[in-house]
Amino acid sequence: YSNPTLLMGKANAYYYTGQLNASLGNYLKVKEDFEDRESAITTPVSEDMNHQEIYQTLVAVYNNIGAVYERKKNTTAALKHYWKSIEATRKISIVSEVANSNKDMVFKSRPKGSDPLLDDWLAPTLDSIRELKNVHSNALQ
C-alpha cells in the first residue's frame, strides 16, 4: 500500500495495540515520502494547500515517531522527533500542541497507563480533496 492516509491509519492502529515496530515501519514510509516532497519546496507558503498537506503530514508523522521511540524508552530519539515536529509547524506558521505536550512530558513521569499522545487525525477519505476535484472535473469533460 502506498496511500499515506492508509499507512498513517495502519501505523496508528499498530501503535494503539502495542505493535511498536510495525507502527514505526509505517510511519517511516510516510516520513520518507513526505520528506521527498518537502525537498522540492524552496520556500514554504502557508496559503498553499500542497505545502499545508506536506507540512501537516510531517508534523504528525514526526510526533508519532517520537511517541513510538518514547514508548520504546529511547528518549533521545523521541525528543529529536518531537522537535522536528515543532520545527515543521513553524515553517507554515501553525502550532503543534501535541508535539509540545509530548516534549514537555518526556522527563516527567506520566500517569500509569498513559502513553505519549499521537497526532492521529486522518483525512475522512483516502484521496485528497485536490485529487477528488481532478476526478470530478475530468468526469465532466
Side-chain angles (χ1 to χ4, degrees), residues 34 36-45 50-52 54-55:
F34 278 80
D36 286 346
R37 293 181 193 189
E38 179 192 26
S39 69
I41 299 172
T42 53
T43 304
V45 177
N50 290 327
H51 293 190
Q52 282 285 332
I54 290 167
Y55 284 101

Side-chain angles (χ1 to χ4, degrees), residues 2-122:
S2 62
N3 185 294
T5 304
L6 186 58
L7 289 174
M8 287 291 284
K10 286 174 52 179
N12 294 349
Y14 286 134
Y15 177 86
Y16 286 123
T17 57
Q19 299 173 69
L20 300 179
N21 290 332
S23 178
L24 184 59
N26 282 280
Y27 288 136
L28 291 174
K29 289 176 193 173
V30 175
K31 174 184 164 282
E32 183 177 311
D33 178 34
F34 278 80
E35 284 180 338
D36 286 346
R37 293 181 193 189
E38 179 192 26
S39 69
I41 299 172
T42 53
T43 304
V45 177
S46 298
E47 296 78 26
D48 185 313
M49 293 308 291
N50 290 327
H51 293 190
Q52 282 285 332
E53 178 184 0
I54 290 167
Y55 284 101
Q56 287 190 21
T57 301
L58 285 172
V59 166
V61 81
Y62 289 145
N63 175 78
N64 295 357
I65 290 171
V68 170
Y69 280 125
E70 186 175 350
R71 283 188 62 189
K72 292 175 73 127
K73 309 291 189 231
N74 186 337
T75 305
T76 303
L79 277 172
K80 173 185 163 188
H81 285 88
Y82 293 148
W83 276 111
K84 284 184 88 160
S85 179
I86 293 165
E87 289 168 8
T89 63
R90 292 179 181 153
K91 292 179 181 179
I92 55 169
S93 304
I94 62 171
V95 175
S96 174
E97 293 179 21
V98 175
N100 275 312
S101 176
N102 282 337
K103 172 193 59 80
D104 292 343
M105 292 296 292
V106 165
F107 295 110
K108 297 178 182 172
S109 69
R110 292 184 186 270
K112 188 172 177 114
S114 174
D115 290 326
L117 300 172
L118 280 191
D119 193 338
D120 61 0
W121 182 89
L122 295 176

